[in-house]
Amino acid sequence: MNNKLTRPITDEEIRTFQEDGVVCLRGFFDMDWVERLRDLIDEDIANPSGMVKSIDAKGASGFFFGDTFVCHHLDGFKDAVFNSPAARIAASILKAKKVNLLFDQILVKEPDTSTPTPWHQDYTYWPVAGDQVATLWLALDPVTFESGAVEYLRGSHRWGKKFLAISFDPDQKYEEELPEVPDVEAAREEYDIVSFELEPGDCTLHHGLTLHGAQPNRTPNVRRRAYIQRWAGHDVTYNPRPNLQKMLRDPMIPPGAPLDSDLFPVVWQA
Ligand SMILES: O=C(O)CCC(=O)C(=O)O
């Protein structure tokens, strides 16, 4: 296993992230990581954590599986947090002096899964304030539009807007005073939508305010397994509010403080 970057992140890649709100980074994770994470995902599906939630739409075909804070559940994921190239990638793209892991996550769309991932911003789900918030989405299978590639609205992180979080979970309601996400699917041609066909080991980094969603997995036989990490840089502080996404536990840090804690560990610093 190797946590060194196979090459430095370029200024062009940082600029793309800053301007577009998403950048695609190919081949930073080798096949050892891919195969290990595939096995861990199958282990988690067979024996999920207490944070697992059903996210299949009602009456949907297939199986859309999600589990969060998985590095607290299976040690192999902890290894991927602390010893894979992910933290250095996130720090380089965010130009951060340190990065904290907010949480890690699995999202699997099995073949013939009809549930789309609704358009949303990540930021409004989480107890954070600050700009350096990003998600690393690592492909563990070949990903195409047909199999449910994530789509992004280019530059939407610079609209200066926060949108109400959409519930993936019937037990969870989000009630902040925020406008609803625009109905992108109803007028796709009006938006600048970007997505990437990925090979196993390729990843994307998107900003916490970038609007994104994903299609169903319409293939009859291609799994779409993703391992996802949520990162925060040095300008991010703890901003708890009512009705946010459930965190594994209270991080026991005061509002306004840096995130540094057992729950949101500093994984890399300069
Ligand atoms: O994998 C998906 O379907 C959606 C991913 C996503 O929304 C995210 O990683 O923030």
Side-chain angles (χ1 to χ4, degrees), residues 125-143:
Y125 290 80
W126 304 336
V128 292
D131 177 62
Q132 292 168 320
V133 176
T135 285
L136 185 151
W137 195 102
L138 172 63
L140 302 176
D141 294 297
V143 178

Side-chain angles (χ1 to χ4, degrees), residues 107 109 117 120 122 135 137 150 206 212 214 224 228 230:
L107 283 174
K109 284 194 184 187
T117 309
H120 66 281
D122 295 337
T135 285
W137 195 102
V150 181
H206 68 260
H212 61 286
R224 200 223 62 178
I228 297 160
R230 319 293 191 169

Side-chain angles (χ1 to χ4, degrees), residues 5 31 67 75-76 116 141 149 159 161 171 198 213 218 222 243 256:
L5 299 189
M31 279 314 283
D67 200 359
D75 280 346
D141 294 297
W159 289 357
K161 284 191 178 159
D171 301 333
L198 304 174
R218 298 188 175 91
V222 183
N243 302 314

Side-chain angles (χ1 to χ4, degrees), residues 18 87 90-102 123 128-134 231-238 256-260 264-270:
Q18 290 172 342
S92 303
I93 291 286
L94 289 169
K95 300 188 92 164
K97 293 184 215 142
K98 64 149 187 164
V99 283
N100 298 72
L101 183 79
L102 284 169
Y123 197 95
V128 292
D131 177 62
Q132 292 168 320
V133 176
W231 291 101
H234 62 258
D235 80 351
V236 177
T237 52
Y238 186 50
L259 294 175
D260 308 7
F264 306 132
V266 177
V267 177
W268 179 89
Q269 56 192 327

Side-chain angles (χ1 to χ4, degrees), residues 180-191:
E180 287 187 11
V181 174
D183 188 353
V184 178
E185 285 306 297
R188 287 177 62 91
E189 65 291 345
E190 287 173 21
Y191 293 95

